[in-house]
């Protein structure tokens, strides 16, 4: 049984990482969509850096929750037959022990140099314009995918969706494509589809089955169920 799991901000909510579209969806008066674009970065780099610096700094105060741990447990059993595709830029899947994770929207703990294109693991702030460890030019940006940019790893993701027997979407609003279209892609190639989310997502009607509740409860229960059936 090949399983592809898509995760979004909702899986990290119980760890204390704020989602994008719950509450008022604003950050210091800015819509997230206005901060997370190349145009915003060109116009107001300091504002954009501070948004990501705050999120990066907050990582040290959060831990994986039972949903992340359950997916790591599932990977121990399924090995290469499980792929986790996450829209999240936090590192909570890895800290829970998952190894087969694709970060389609990039990672907070990585910076990319606009001068030499090199990537570096990054744990500090970027707003004070540090030099690139590779070329020395102070032109590092967060290694995240902004609106209008192409998500990472799309070839590997579509290949996995085409051969999946089961596609499970966890904690995502279904508001952002291409991730919101994965359910249709997987179903077209014959996968069963399941949504685990606090509430109906924008694409909820496309799933064979939906379960509403907290990821910290739904995901461990679903993993238990799957492993018993195997
Ligand atoms: N358990 C399960 N689901 C939850 C929980 C929880 N404890 N808390 C919130 N949710 C659900 C919300 O109901 C919502 O449907 O998680 C979803 C979070 O949606 P968004 O905030 O829109 O996050 P996401 O879908 O990951 O956003 C996609 O948008 O801004 C961009 O690049 C950013 O990766 C992000 C993308």
């Amino acid at each position: 049984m090949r399983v592809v799991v898509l995760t979004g901000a909702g899986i990290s909510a119980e760890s204390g990482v704020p989602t994008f579209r719950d509450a008022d969806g604003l950050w210091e008066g800015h819509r997230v969509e206005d901060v997370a674009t190349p145009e915003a970065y060109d116009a107001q780099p300091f504002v954009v850096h501070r948004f990501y610096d705050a999120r990066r700094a907050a990582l040290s105060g959060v831990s994986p929750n039972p949903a992340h741990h359950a997916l790591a447990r599932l990977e121990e059993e399924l090995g290469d037959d499980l792929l986790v595709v996450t829209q999240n830029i936090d590192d909570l899947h890895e800290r829970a022990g998952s190894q087969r994770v694709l970060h389609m929207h990039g990672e907070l703990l990585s910076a990319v140099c606009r001068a030499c294109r090199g990537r570096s693991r990054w744990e500090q702030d970027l707003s004070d314009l540090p030099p690139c460890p590779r070329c020395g030019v102070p032109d590092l940006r967060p290694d995240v995918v902004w609106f209008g940019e192409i998500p990472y790893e799309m070839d590997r993701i579509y290949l996995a969706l085409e051969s999946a027997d089961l596609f499970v979407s966890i904690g995502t609003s279904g508001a952002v494509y291409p991730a919101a279209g994965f359910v249709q892609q997987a179903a077209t190639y014959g996968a069963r589809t399941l949504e685990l989310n606090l509430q109906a997502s924008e694409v909820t009607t496309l799933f064979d089955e939906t379960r509403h509740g907290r990821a910290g409860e739904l995901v461990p229960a679903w993993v238990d169920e799957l492993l018993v059936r195997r």
Side-chain angles (χ1 to χ4, degrees):
M1 142 109 60
R2 290 190 174 182
V3 183
V4 175
V5 170
L6 170 69
T7 65
I11 197 170
S12 296
E14 287 156 70
S15 295
V17 180
T19 64
F20 291 93
R21 291 178 184 77
D22 294 319
D24 59 8
L26 293 180
W27 179 77
E28 292 189 359
H30 305 277
R31 291 190 324 135
V32 170
E33 286 82 352
D34 293 340
V35 181
T37 66
E39 293 77 18
Y41 185 67
D42 287 339
Q44 293 185 296
F46 189 66
V47 171
V48 176
H49 275 314
R50 285 206 309 118
F51 174 75
Y52 289 100
D53 283 353
R55 289 189 159 242
R56 191 181 306 103
L59 285 185
S60 58
V62 299
S63 318
N65 67 56
H68 299 101
H69 287 297
L71 291 180
R73 186 158 56 89
L74 186 60
E75 186 185 290
E76 274 172 25
E77 297 297 324
L78 297 186
D80 284 337
D81 286 338
L82 174 68
L83 177 66
V84 174
V85 177
T86 187
Q87 298 168 90
N88 298 343
I89 56 179
D90 65 52
D91 63 340
L92 294 179
H93 284 304
E94 287 84 353
R95 278 201 261 157
S98 289
Q99 294 175 15
R100 294 158 176 94
V101 182
L102 298 181
H103 283 269
M104 64 179 290
H105 290 167
E107 294 176 74
L108 273 173
L109 294 177
S110 176
V112 61
C113 175
R114 299 212 304 174
C116 73
R117 311 307 307 166
R119 288 194 157 75
S120 306
R121 182 173 166 86
W122 204 264
E123 295 180 4
Q124 309 303 319
D125 286 351
L126 287 172
S127 51
D128 47 2
L129 306 181
C132 169
R134 294 164 181 268
C135 72
V137 176
D139 199 2
L140 292 169
R141 60 163 269 186
D143 189 6
V144 299
V145 176
W146 286 325
F147 288 98
E149 296 182 324
I150 298 169
Y152 298 152
E153 305 280 11
M154 291 310 294
D155 290 350
R156 283 172 72 188
I157 294 169
Y158 280 122
L159 270 178
L161 290 171
E162 286 170 17
S163 60
D165 301 300
L166 177 61
F167 171 75
V168 185
S169 173
I170 302 171
T172 175
S173 59
V176 175
Y177 284 81
F182 291 171
V183 56
Q184 233 160 357
Q185 184 78 8
T188 301
Y189 283 91
R192 224 180 82 71
T193 57
L194 168 66
E195 174 173 274
L196 305 177
N197 204 45
L198 197 58
Q199 62 203 40
S201 75
E202 293 187 17
V203 290
T204 202
T205 55
L206 300 175
F207 286 85
D208 295 319
E209 185 187 348
T210 56
R211 299 180 191 176
H212 295 156
R214 291 152 61 97
E217 288 157 18
L218 291 183
V219 179
W222 164 69
V223 167
D224 286 346
E225 200 182 294
L226 192 75
L227 292 179
V228 165
R229 265 199 267 129
R230 264 178 95 222

